[in-house]
Amino acid sequence: MKVLVVGGAGYIGSHMVNALSKKDCKVVVLDDLSGGHRDAVRNADLVVGSLAERERLDRLLGAHKFDAVMHFASFIEVGRSVRDPAAYYRNNLINTLNLLEAMMANGVRRFVFSSTAAIFGEPESSPIDEQHRKAPINPYGHSKLMVEQILSDYAKAYGLESVCLRYFNAAGADAQAGLGERHDPETHLIPLVLQTAAGRREAISIFGTDYDTPDGTCIRDYVHVMDLCDAHWLALQRLLSGTGSGRYNLGNGLGYSVQQVIDTARAVTSREIAVRHEPRRPGDPARLVADSTLARKELGWHPQRAELERIIADAWAWEQQRPLARLADLAA
Ligand code: UFG
């Protein structure tokens, strides 16, 4: 089987490329390296390029007979999407349309799309299942929901089958494979907490301690990146079997507060982690927890690494390799 992984040099994409190669898939990665890292691409051909280059996309898709495309290449910072929506709609929406059009033109009709819990906006109920009202509160969430809508219309009109996977809080790493989270700038809680434990930051800021939660800090559903890869593999099997399109929320159904994440990181690392209490970050819902019953039922997805200790331990193993990754970036 031959798969095009767009954004395969990024955090989740690079884990997926590695997972596909272990399943004996032939993988081609398309990545502009704006957020990805050349050395994170394992056992795959890397084509450095952007989805903005429609003719180049046609040549790439024309030169290979891809069985499916997986698309991980999007901007993900909620705050930046509010400050610069144009960049978000261009990259997350227009560039995705380019990709879909090139797929249609070249007869590729299976697509796995990285969507997000941000499509739901402020939750009306918890846990959040697929039926929950979709009302994004920032351009990032809107851009992802628009692509989901486009995919439903393309299925009806052109027979493009897609699976949209709505990640809750992706975390963890495959440190044994030398892969982990390498965003720059980093905005996500777990890597920032672990950078503090490693002495690379002075303190971790807690954004808000007055939420309506047991300890006053926000609750999130952290899901291991390798469990997300398992879901992508199952999504691909669903598309190959002709069962049709699907939309799934991916989380463990376990909510952990910011304070619990910090406490668990202290236990896992045996290090001091200094905290700074700061005001709420705009746009953060108090609680985001997934109901993934549908993914379990229809995809047969059973997360194997659901415990927060495991997620943080794996991210910590990666954090200790970070200096090596920095050297690789400098050499690239
Ligand atoms: N947080 C802190 N301090 C920090 C960083 C984060 O207290 O330094 C808090 C946030 O306020 C939030 C929680 O930790 O309550 C998790 O924050 P992250 O930034 O790690 O993740 P988000 O829940 O904001 O965002 C994630 C994805 C987004 C996606 C969103 C969907 O990273 O791409 O889930 O809800 F849009």
Side-chain angles (χ1 to χ4, degrees):
M1 184 165 47
K2 202 173 205 185
V3 181
L4 174 64
V5 180
V6 185
Y11 169 41
I12 304 172
S14 62
H15 285 80
M16 191 66 224
V17 170
N18 193 46
L20 285 169
S21 73
K22 286 188 181 153
K23 304 269 190 195
D24 286 331
C25 289
K26 176 97 189 74
V27 182
V28 176
V29 170
L30 175 67
D31 199 301
D32 65 4
L33 299 181
S34 59
H37 304 266
R38 190 180 286 276
D39 67 290
V41 177
R42 300 287 154 79
N43 308 313
D45 294 332
L46 170 65
V47 177
V48 179
S50 158
L51 291 179
E53 304 167 86
R54 174 63 209 276
E55 280 173 23
R56 191 149 174 224
L57 272 179
D58 271 326
R59 285 202 298 278
L60 179 66
L61 286 153
H64 297 268
K65 262 195 98 41
F66 291 115
D67 296 286
V69 174
M70 291 186 173
H71 180 21
F72 296 89
S74 64
F75 292 157
I76 57 162
E77 280 174 59
V78 170
R80 225 189 97 210
S81 80
V82 176
R83 292 192 299 277
D84 189 7
Y88 272 67
Y89 288 119
R90 176 150 303 277
N91 189 49
N92 293 5
L93 186 63
I94 306 292
N95 287 353
T96 302
L97 269 177
N98 276 346
L99 174 61
L100 295 176
E101 285 172 12
M103 286 174 61
M104 297 295 94
N106 289 281
V108 184
R109 290 199 156 66
R110 298 185 192 100
F111 189 61
V112 184
F113 178 60
S114 299
S115 190
T116 171
I119 65 166
F120 296 107
E122 193 67 47
E124 288 180 320
S125 54
S126 183
I128 299 172
D129 68 12
E130 287 75 7
Q131 303 309 316
H132 188 284
R133 180 192 65 169
K134 286 142 201 100
I137 54 169
N138 50 60
Y140 168 67
H142 278 296
S143 70
K144 292 284 182 172
L145 187 58
M146 286 175 191
V147 172
E148 288 205 11
Q149 179 61 51
I150 288 168
L151 289 170
S152 314
D153 295 338
Y154 274 38
K156 287 178 216 134
Y158 312 126
L160 177 98
E161 299 290 354
S162 66
V163 175
C164 296
L165 299 175
R166 297 148 177 175
Y167 316 150
F168 278 60
N169 286 63
D174 185 355
Q176 279 182 336
L179 297 172
E181 201 165 352
R182 286 163 81 180
H183 298 122
D184 186 19
E186 187 53 78
T187 60
H188 292 121
L189 179 66
I190 290 179
L192 290 175
V193 167
L194 294 176
Q195 286 174 25
T196 311
R200 286 190 254 282
R201 283 174 189 267
E202 268 179 27
I204 178 74
S205 297
I206 300 183
F207 296 140
T209 52
D210 57 350
Y211 284 96
D212 184 16
T213 59
D215 65 20
T217 66
C218 284
I219 291 177
R220 293 290 180 273
D221 188 340
Y222 296 92
V223 53
H224 201 294
V225 63
M226 291 166 78
D227 284 331
L228 292 179
C229 291
D230 290 346
H232 281 76
W233 175 252
L234 294 164
L236 192 58
Q237 301 315 303
R238 179 181 172 90
L239 292 174
L240 289 166
S241 70
T243 322
S245 296
R247 312 268 175 272
Y248 303 102
N249 295 357
L250 298 184
N252 291 307
L254 304 169
Y256 292 102
S257 71
V258 172
Q259 188 62 56
Q260 284 176 305
V261 167
I262 295 169
D263 291 341
T264 307
R266 286 184 177 130
V268 166
T269 64
S270 306
R271 302 276 181 101
E272 301 280 318
I273 300 175
V275 302
R276 209 182 281 139
H277 289 172
E278 305 231 14
R280 292 182 179 199
R281 191 172 69 175
D284 271 342
R287 183 186 299 266
L288 281 175
V289 177
D291 179 341
S292 295
T293 309
L294 194 66
R296 287 164 199 267
K297 199 168 120 217
E298 290 192 359
L299 294 179
W301 184 57
H302 298 288
Q304 302 295 309
R305 308 153 187 93
E307 310 76 34
L308 187 61
E309 287 77 9
R310 166 73 194 271
I311 292 171
I312 291 182
D314 286 357
W316 179 234
W318 157 252
E319 187 56 44
Q320 286 159 308
Q321 296 177 22
R322 191 180 291 275
L324 284 176
R326 285 238 175 78
L327 287 178
D329 278 339
L330 290 174

